[in-house]
């Protein structure tokens, strides 16, 4: 615990609160937690419209894959099936030996 006179007076944060998405109803809880961790008082906008105005807005795109992905998946499954079966057999053998 640093003495009050040695604590920073101003700390500006531009990232979202606590590095995660905070639901509007939990904003106050997040701010209080941050205050506790940093032994400080936070000053922020509680107006969601004001926050949204300066927040980042990522663009999400959904892409449907073609059947070629199914072909690649089938090929990969075919390649790993024998080694997987070998490992399953070894695991069963080890379990059966340990239960003796």
């Amino acid at each position: 615990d640093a003495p009050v006179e040695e604590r920073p007076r101003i700390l500006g944060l531009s990232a979202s609160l606590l590095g995660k998405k905070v639901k509007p109803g939990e904003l106050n809880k997040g701010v209080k937690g941050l205050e506790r961790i940093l032994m400080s008082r936070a000053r922020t906008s509680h107006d969601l419209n004001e926050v949204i105005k300066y927040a980042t807005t990522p663009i999400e795109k959904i892409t449907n894959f073609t059947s070629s992905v199914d072909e690649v998946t089938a090929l990969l499954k075919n390649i790993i099936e024998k080694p997987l079966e070998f490992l399953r057999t070894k695991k069963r053998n080890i379990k059966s030996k340990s239960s003796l």
Side-chain angles (χ1 to χ4, degrees):
D1 289 330
V4 174
E5 62 275 0
E6 292 180 18
R7 295 181 194 164
R9 301 283 304 198
I10 298 172
L11 175 63
L13 301 175
S14 61
S16 51
L17 185 64
L18 306 175
K20 62 180 180 179
K21 290 184 180 180
V22 177
K23 296 177 184 172
E26 296 177 359
L27 179 62
N28 195 40
K29 180 180 174 184
V31 170
K32 292 295 179 192
L34 192 59
E35 287 178 332
R36 186 182 72 255
I37 291 167
L38 297 176
M39 295 180 292
S40 63
R41 288 184 304 234
R43 296 294 177 252
T44 186
S45 174
H46 292 282
D47 178 5
L48 188 56
N49 290 326
E50 187 70 17
V51 173
I52 290 172
K53 186 165 69 172
Y54 297 104
T56 59
T57 52
I59 298 170
E60 295 181 26
K61 293 183 180 182
I62 297 174
T63 303
N64 294 321
F65 293 99
T66 62
S67 63
S68 65
V69 171
D70 295 332
E71 293 168 13
V72 172
T73 302
L75 177 63
L76 290 174
K77 284 182 180 179
N78 188 34
I79 291 170
I80 65 169
E81 187 54 41
K82 286 183 182 181
L84 281 177
E85 186 53 40
F86 172 79
L87 292 173
R88 288 183 194 118
T89 302
K90 287 293 183 185
K91 185 177 178 181
R92 283 191 296 268
N93 290 342
I94 291 170
K95 282 186 177 181
S96 66
K97 286 181 182 179
S98 65
S99 64
L100 295 178

